[in-house]
Amino acid sequence: MVAEFAAIETRDLTKIYPGFWKSQQVQALTNLNLRVRQGEIFGLLGPNGSGKTTAIKLLLGLINATSGEALVMGQQAGDQDTRRRLGYLPEESYLYRFLNARQTMDFYARLFNMNRSQRRQAVDYYLDFVGLDPAVRGRRIGTYSKGQTRRVALAQALLNNPDLVIMDEPTSGLDPVGMLEIKNMILRLKAAGKTVLLSSHQLADVEDVCDRLVILYRGRVELEGALSDLLEVKDVFQLEARKVSAELQAKLVEMTNAGGAEDIQTGRPRVRLEDLFKRLVDAKRRGEPGAGSARR
Amino acid sequence: MNHHPGFDYIAISAYAVIGILVVAFVLLAFRDVGRLRTGIFRAWAIGRTTIAEAWNARIWAIVPIWFVICLIISLLVRPYSAASQVEIYLTILLRAQLVMLLVYLGILACVSLPRERERRTLITTGSKPISRLELLLGKVIGICAAGLAMLVLMTAITWGFMVVINMHIKHDAAVLYEHEQHSYNAMVRRIPPEPGVRYTARHGVLQAQNYYTGTLRIAGLINYQTNPPERALKGGSSETLYFEFPSLPAQVVSPPVFLLHFTVLRLNPGAKPNTSAQQTAAVLPPVRIHITAVLRDNPMVTAQQSLTLSPNGTAEWRPKHWTNFFSLYDPTTGRLFDPGPVLLKVTSPTLGAYLFFGAGTKAQPPACLAFNLDRSRAPAGVMIPKLNPVITGFKSNNKQEIVGPSYSHPGIPAEVASFEFHHLPDKRIPIGKHGNFTVHLFLSVDKQENEALPAIADITAFTLADPAHPFRMQVRFAEKHLTVLKLPKSLLDESALVINIQSNYPGHWIKLTQNSVQIVRPPSSFIVNLAKSEFIIFCEVVLLVVIGVTASARLGWPVAMLTTMVCYVLGNLFHFVYKLMILGGFGLYGPYIDSKMKGLWYYQIGSFITAVMVKMLYALVRLMPDFTRFDPLHDIIISRNLPWIVPVVDAGWTLACALPILALGYLLLRKQELA
Ligand SMILES: Nc1ncnc2c1ncn2[C@@H]1O[C@H](COP(=O)(O)OP(=O)(O)O)[C@@H](O)[C@H]1O
Ligand SMILES: [Mg+2]
């Protein structure tokens, strides 16, 4: 898909939160230059307070830039018509506590001028899509658990079948299974040709799904590029196999040494606790007995 | 700077500010306004959610609370008569609605946006394709819709309540009438039962009567010896005598003296049949008059004085603050600025005094003359008012009395209240089976003597085309009950109908108002009339909600609430502040300060500060919508139909006021950060 414009483009985007005195001012974002192509998954990384949320709010026109400009879908950020094609998952799920999930979705669907049948269809489709337990859909959101709320928030972000989905820390507040589901969902969005901008400080999230990313630190871009380029350690070779006897191991090390390789390391791989947890929950759901040991 | 005295530059500036707001809105919001075709649905979505929020905040609770309060009050209040029962209940029910809705929806309006900001739901909503205008309108629409729902509920309850009350009243009246009729037939009671009671028993009190009211003149105590007949200023009434001096201030630099001369006739209300005129005069207090001089073109400049007439009916007024009053001497040009004609208004508070005055001809010099005492300046001598004295009668609804026939002055005809009705054929006045039309009388009586006799009014009705053949009748009337009169339809011709009322017995003074004689037109439905009153309440609430939402566009809810409250209070103060201006709120002590004091620097500073404060207050008040115009109780409590024009004009006024306020709200919200 060749696009004539980038999904997101910012030029020297700067945001200074005003304070009463100069010392209270916060320079949240300094000269941000981003270019997100259409159809890619773009990661906005950085530690807490590095300006990720600020950048996203600027892109949505929720706050006004101090200087610089931001274009979304070729239009100035905050343009009302552009927002039709946008989905936004806020950092925390800011939803009306007194509405239930269906009413919430219905409300947002109305903001997209959907008619009654469209609304009814979309509401249940996306609540199913994010896997919200049907039993809780009629309850007020104020009574939901964090994960349930998060799912509703995600559903409202996808409600209008957006071309560009902006997700601010999508996995925060979710259990590892939920995280995995989100990651799969993001990949599915990409497969459907959508553009995804996601911010996170949990690097594991980004690592699995992002095509390209920037790393922000104190409002400035520190690193930028394609994930594969950034993470591939070009001068290291890795080999993995089962049933390698101690003999064979010694032999392999010897051969490598003889071949002139340096810094040889050997050992057993470990799975991450996350994977273990996931397998456990999956097995439980399928009704199998627990898969106790680490497997890969 | 020299303004024309009648030029209210503060009001003009206020209108200019409002105009600028609207223009700025049109310039900046035209894209958002253009989107409203689909945007109105998005605004309604916001509105729905706001209603849900209101519902969640238990807004419905105001209906039961209101009802319980009203029930308690109406159980405690025991009115004197059926008519006033309706009046009191409706007043309580409607006023309580107004207050509760104003408070509740006002709070909601001020809280709604700030709370969304605090809970950050605006972040999610703001990421959707919605404009700030839609957001603003959505909030207003939502809260108003919630208010409307409450109001409809309360209207239904009010109606049900009134229907029950009406049933009781009808029943009680029927029982009373039957009882009185019975005892009258059995000769236990000397007076036949009140016809008004029977009317109530038959028709109940839930009515929306349409009336046609004439103009009232009290054509009493006319001295027919003179030609033309001489008319008296009636003491103790709101009648006002006007004299106009065309260009007095331009010529008079020194204080003039006003000489007033009346021929006074006194009637002693309590005088017994054989009291002589001298005896009457001895017990009566002296006659007092109030004089107000006012510039016709600038009614803010006034001087007032209360005087006592001498026994021969004269008084002399030397205005003390003449220089202050007329000192429109322009120091920059050194010339005298002509402020236009001066009106001298004379009223008398003394009941039973009748002040005859000359017609202003050569033979009858006017009752008021002005003398210029400063003979060094021209012109010296007498200044005569330009016009014949004009007498004005009633203000809208104040009560006046006509005296009964007099024992002591048999030569003088008793006072006549004369009601004149024009254009009757156009009024579609319903004619009954017997070829009669109905007239309602609202009279009450002040029995100075002859307390035991029933109150009877002598009615004379004739058309101006044929005054020689009047229709005469005597009707008994009861306090607080309307009296029904049937008149032949032949009286309804192209010329005017005149209905004259006189009191039948000496010492019976009939009290009446402008509306005391009303020709009945086909009635309207009570429930529609109630709905109109409720609609006026709604208009007032809408205006407050618009102010509240606008105030909360930038402010937090406590400050927004305070602002809204201040706006409401100022909006109710318009007439008060305007009067403050007119009655000399300009300086520290107004004009009543001697010139020595005026030179003192601290007086000048103090005076300056007060003047600025009053003007600022006035400017503020000018910027506020006038809330005093909303009067939901005006007609319904007296069983009258509210003309459609009133709710229609009120709705138009509400919209006209809401537009600049919403424009301000939009401008405030336009660049507001939502996160
Ligand atoms: N409304 C605000 N007013 C003042 N400072 C703010 C505001 N919002 C965020 N900041 C500051 O801006 C910086 C960046 O914040 P944010 O964009 O939320 O970071 P991140 O999302 O990367 O954790 C932080 O230092 C934060 O304190
Ligand atoms: Mg953040």
Side-chain angles (χ1 to χ4, degrees):
Chain A
M1 197 178 5
V2 183
E4 69 272 40
F5 50 76
I8 293 173
E9 188 166 4
T10 67
R11 298 188 198 114
D12 291 333
L13 196 59
T14 302
K15 176 69 186 178
I16 300 171
Y17 286 110
F20 193 75
W21 286 290
K22 205 156 175 88
S23 64
Q24 284 185 341
Q25 288 187 350
V26 182
Q27 176 116 16
L29 209 59
T30 314
N31 295 344
L32 179 72
N33 287 298
L34 275 188
R35 198 180 155 83
V36 179
R37 296 188 210 110
Q38 295 203 5
E40 73 178 354
I41 301 178
F42 193 91
L44 207 52
L45 262 65
N48 282 332
S50 56
K52 306 181 293 291
T53 303
T54 304
I56 287 175
K57 284 178 181 168
L58 283 169
L59 291 175
L60 289 163
L62 291 171
I63 54 177
N64 307 326
T66 310
S67 69
E69 75 177 329
L71 298 177
V72 180
M73 303 291 202
Q75 298 291 324
Q76 287 292 331
D79 180 73
Q80 195 178 342
D81 292 325
T82 312
R83 271 184 273 153
R84 270 176 206 294
R85 303 163 58 197
L86 239 86
Y88 168 53
L89 173 70
E91 190 171 22
E92 278 166 50
S93 315
Y94 305 122
L95 302 170
Y96 295 101
R97 301 158 47 84
F98 49 84
L99 297 179
N100 64 35
R102 283 211 187 83
Q103 289 167 335
T104 306
M105 293 292 284
D106 185 73
F107 165 59
Y108 291 120
R110 279 168 190 271
L111 294 186
F112 288 105
N113 287 76
M114 293 188 193
N115 64 31
R116 182 190 291 258
S117 65
Q118 283 171 332
R119 290 202 305 267
R120 199 177 310 143
Q121 233 176 342
V123 166
D124 276 320
Y125 176 78
Y126 283 105
L127 288 178
D128 288 341
F129 187 81
V130 297
L132 184 73
D133 185 357
V136 303
R137 288 182 195 177
R139 269 180 18 208
R140 295 192 301 120
I141 287 186
T143 65
Y144 284 11
S145 77
K146 192 168 179 191
Q148 287 165 335
T149 319
R150 198 73 189 144
R151 281 167 206 270
V152 180
L154 190 62
Q156 65 78 29
L158 301 175
L159 182 64
N160 56 330
N161 191 17
D163 296 332
L164 169 63
V165 188
I166 297 178
M167 298 179 167
D168 200 350
E169 315 218 349
T171 56
S172 80
L174 289 180
D175 56 23
V177 181
M179 283 190 197
L180 187 74
E181 281 170 6
I182 292 253
K183 282 184 215 165
N184 288 336
M185 205 180 297
I186 292 171
L187 291 173
R188 267 200 283 165
L189 288 173
K190 179 185 156 82
K194 316 282 181 198
T195 315
V196 179
L197 174 77
L198 61 92
S199 86
S200 189
H201 60 261
Q202 288 180 345
L203 307 180
D205 292 356
V206 183
E207 193 177 331
D208 298 343
V209 294
C210 283
D211 298 326
R212 293 194 311 130
L213 54 81
V214 293
I215 295 179
L216 288 177
Y217 185 72
R218 297 220 172 150
R220 289 173 198 276
V221 175
E222 293 297 328
L223 193 71
E224 182 174 7
L227 190 75
S228 47
D229 295 345
L230 293 175
L231 294 194
E232 204 173 66
V233 187
K234 299 264 163 34
D235 55 348
V236 178
F237 176 77
Q238 212 172 347
L239 177 120
E240 232 177 81
R242 276 189 222 282
K243 294 185 183 164
V244 184
S245 64
E247 239 169 278
L248 184 54
Q249 282 179 21
K251 217 184 255 175
L252 280 173
V253 172
E254 202 174 305
M255 274 170 64
T256 333
N257 239 335
E262 288 168 13
D263 294 344
I264 303 162
Q265 311 225 345
T266 63
R268 285 178 207 288
R270 284 175 71 126
V271 299
R272 287 180 299 183
L273 184 56
E274 185 189 337
D275 297 328
L276 177 67
F277 178 88
K278 243 169 351 216
R279 245 179 326 126
L280 194 88
V281 175
D282 277 350
K284 279 274 180 233
R285 284 196 182 153
R286 273 184 262 115
E288 287 171 9
S293 60
R295 286 173 66 92
R296 242 185 124 160
Chain B
M1 256 218 308
N2 233 327
H3 299 291
H4 183 271
F7 183 80
D8 189 347
Y9 62 93
I10 295 179
I12 307 266
S13 318
Y15 293 142
V17 169
I18 293 169
I20 290 170
L21 267 181
V22 174
V23 169
F25 173 73
V26 169
L27 289 181
L28 291 172
F30 72 99
R31 277 189 67 183
D32 284 349
V33 171
R35 282 208 189 89
L36 273 185
R37 193 197 301 228
T38 57
I40 201 71
F41 295 105
R42 297 190 286 270
W44 172 235
I46 303 263
R48 277 171 48 102
T49 306
T50 311
I51 295 173
E53 183 190 17
W55 182 263
N56 190 58
R58 298 198 178 76
I59 190 180
W60 45 265
I62 71 172
V63 175
I65 292 175
W66 161 79
F67 189 61
V68 167
I69 292 176
C70 291
L71 210 59
I72 292 173
I73 295 177
S74 22
L75 287 176
L76 293 179
V77 176
R78 296 269 108 203
Y80 166 67
S81 73
S84 49
Q85 193 168 0
V86 170
E87 180 177 335
I88 288 176
Y89 286 175
L90 276 177
T91 307
I92 293 171
L93 289 166
L94 295 186
R95 276 240 185 279
Q97 272 180 41
L98 178 65
V99 169
M100 294 205 75
L101 280 179
L102 281 180
V103 170
Y104 217 93
L105 295 188
I107 290 177
L108 209 61
C110 294
V111 158
S112 191
L113 259 182
R115 194 151 58 180
E116 287 222 26
R117 221 177 286 135
E118 274 166 28
R119 294 186 180 168
R120 309 216 187 162
T121 43
L122 265 187
I123 293 182
T124 319
T125 309
S127 72
K128 301 283 180 268
I130 183 163
S131 70
R132 302 292 163 93
L133 183 63
E134 289 152 17
L135 183 63
L136 189 74
L137 284 183
K139 284 291 164 202
V140 171
I141 291 173
I143 296 167
C144 291
L148 189 63
M150 297 300 106
L151 208 58
V152 167
L153 263 178
M154 293 200 267
T155 306
I157 296 174
T158 307
W159 189 62
F161 185 77
M162 291 315 294
V163 165
V164 173
I165 297 289
N166 189 37
M167 270 159 41
H168 280 284
I169 289 176
K170 271 167 93 167
H171 178 253
D172 291 351
V175 168
L176 178 68
Y177 187 80
E178 203 154 298
H179 174 75
E180 288 192 351
Q181 184 74 51
H182 189 78
S183 29
Y184 182 66
N185 292 345
M187 312 282 269
V188 179
R189 190 185 144 97
R190 297 221 316 268
I191 314 172
E194 311 276 7
V197 177
R198 190 178 54 186
Y199 184 89
T200 305
R202 279 197 193 150
H203 302 285
V205 283
L206 292 196
Q207 295 180 353
Q209 296 282 5
N210 285 303
Y211 292 111
Y212 177 49
T213 351
T215 50
L216 165 62
R217 252 167 294 196
I218 293 189
L221 294 175
I222 295 177
N223 185 356
Y224 293 99
Q225 318 312 322
T226 59
N227 185 27
E230 211 177 300
R231 169 85 161 86
L233 173 72
K234 184 172 156 72
S237 79
S238 61
E239 280 185 331
T240 311
L241 190 56
Y242 278 87
F243 299 97
E244 181 174 332
F245 290 89
S247 57
L248 181 67
Q251 298 165 354
V252 179
V253 180
S254 67
V257 178
F258 291 98
L259 277 188
L260 295 123
H261 175 81
F262 297 100
T263 311
V264 183
L265 173 74
R266 305 298 300 272
L267 292 182
N268 184 355
K272 289 286 176 267
N274 296 322
T275 319
S276 72
Q278 284 82 355
Q279 282 171 313
T280 302
V283 293
L284 288 178
V287 178
R288 291 191 67 77
I289 55 172
H290 292 318
I291 305 181
T292 308
V294 58
L295 280 186
R296 194 193 64 186
D297 296 340
N298 186 5
M300 290 186 192
V301 180
T302 61
Q304 300 172 354
Q305 186 76 46
S306 196
L307 298 170
T308 306
L309 285 187
S310 70
N312 56 6
T314 59
E316 188 181 303
W317 182 35
R318 296 163 184 270
K320 243 189 221 156
H321 308 290
W322 180 253
T323 44
N324 202 314
F325 177 41
F326 291 107
S327 68
L328 289 157
Y329 171 79
D330 186 347
T332 53
T333 59
R335 272 186 296 141
L336 215 54
F337 178 71
D338 182 1
V342 176
L343 295 176
L344 207 68
K345 299 198 258 181
V346 181
T347 61
S348 169
T350 312
L351 201 65
Y354 296 84
L355 312 183
F356 288 92
F357 50 87
T361 56
K362 279 237 168 63
Q364 289 175 293
C368 180
L369 296 171
F371 289 95
N372 185 0
L373 291 188
D374 187 351
R375 300 195 180 273
S376 64
R377 311 234 184 184
V382 184
M383 275 158 289
I384 299 173
K386 188 179 91 185
L387 298 174
N388 289 347
V390 183
I391 208 159
T392 61
F394 284 52
K395 286 178 206 140
S396 63
N397 240 338
N398 48 2
K399 277 207 168 152
Q400 297 209 4
E401 296 183 340
I402 49 172
V403 296
S406 156
Y407 302 112
S408 49
H409 296 78
I412 296 171
E415 276 186 315
V416 180
S418 179
F419 293 85
E420 216 172 289
F421 301 87
H422 295 269
H423 311 296
L424 288 174
D426 312 339
K427 298 288 176 189
R428 281 182 285 129
I429 290 163
I431 309 293
K433 278 201 292 283
H434 308 294
N436 292 332
F437 66 96
T438 311
V439 172
H440 282 175
L441 299 182
F442 298 89
L443 303 174
S444 53
V445 69
D446 183 359
K447 292 182 182 170
Q448 308 273 352
E449 313 156 21
N450 297 328
E451 285 90 349
L453 292 176
I456 290 183
D458 288 334
I459 311 283
T460 317
F462 56 88
T463 70
L464 281 186
D466 185 17
H469 299 92
F471 180 88
R472 290 178 193 280
M473 64 194 299
Q474 288 196 333
V475 289
R476 271 195 46 197
F477 60 91
E479 201 92 12
K480 295 265 183 185
H481 279 282
L482 65 84
T483 310
V484 182
L485 209 63
K486 301 280 184 188
L487 294 177
K489 70 174 181 217
S490 58
L491 288 172
L492 300 173
D493 66 3
E494 290 292 335
S495 67
L497 166 67
V498 178
I499 298 178
N500 284 344
I501 295 183
Q502 275 176 284
S503 176
N504 189 49
Y505 295 115
H508 284 195
W509 292 33
I510 294 179
K511 287 190 201 169
L512 33 73
T513 72
Q514 183 93 61
N515 298 330
S516 283
V517 176
Q518 304 180 338
I519 298 181
V520 178
R521 296 169 64 196
S524 306
S525 107
F526 174 78
I527 177 97
V528 173
N529 203 29
L530 180 65
K532 285 187 225 168
S533 290
E534 301 277 2
F535 180 76
I536 291 177
I537 294 182
F538 182 63
C539 286
E540 183 162 357
V541 170
V542 166
L543 208 46
L544 191 82
V545 166
V546 169
I547 292 177
V549 171
T550 296
S552 68
R554 286 264 165 153
L555 303 171
W557 61 265
V559 189
M561 262 186 224
L562 200 70
T563 312
T564 310
M565 249 167 62
V566 168
C567 287
Y568 185 70
V569 169
L570 287 180
N572 272 300
L573 280 186
F574 177 79
H575 296 285
F576 171 74
V577 174
Y578 189 66
K579 271 223 176 102
L580 199 67
M581 292 271 294
I582 288 175
L583 298 180
F586 274 123
L588 196 51
Y589 301 109
Y592 304 103
I593 187 82
D594 58 54
S595 46
K596 213 194 303 167
M597 189 73 168
K598 271 190 168 167
L600 297 174
W601 65 269
Y602 52 82
Y603 170 78
Q604 283 177 350
I605 290 176
S607 188
F608 177 77
I609 292 173
T610 352
V612 167
M613 268 163 42
V614 171
K615 282 189 183 183
M616 270 165 45
L617 188 63
Y618 179 62
L620 261 181
V621 162
R622 267 289 181 192
L623 284 171
M624 298 300 150
D626 178 13
F627 274 100
T628 54
R629 70 170 296 120
F630 300 108
D631 186 2
L633 294 173
H634 190 265
D635 282 317
I636 192 167
I637 56 169
I638 50 169
S639 297
R640 276 187 81 136
N641 184 35
L642 190 72
W644 275 106
I645 187 76
V646 176
V648 169
V649 168
D650 278 357
W653 166 263
T654 306
L655 285 182
C657 292
L659 180 66
I661 302 173
L662 281 177
L664 176 66
Y666 175 79
L667 297 177
L668 289 175
L669 206 56
R670 203 171 80 91
K671 288 288 170 195
Q672 166 83 313
E673 301 194 333
L674 295 184

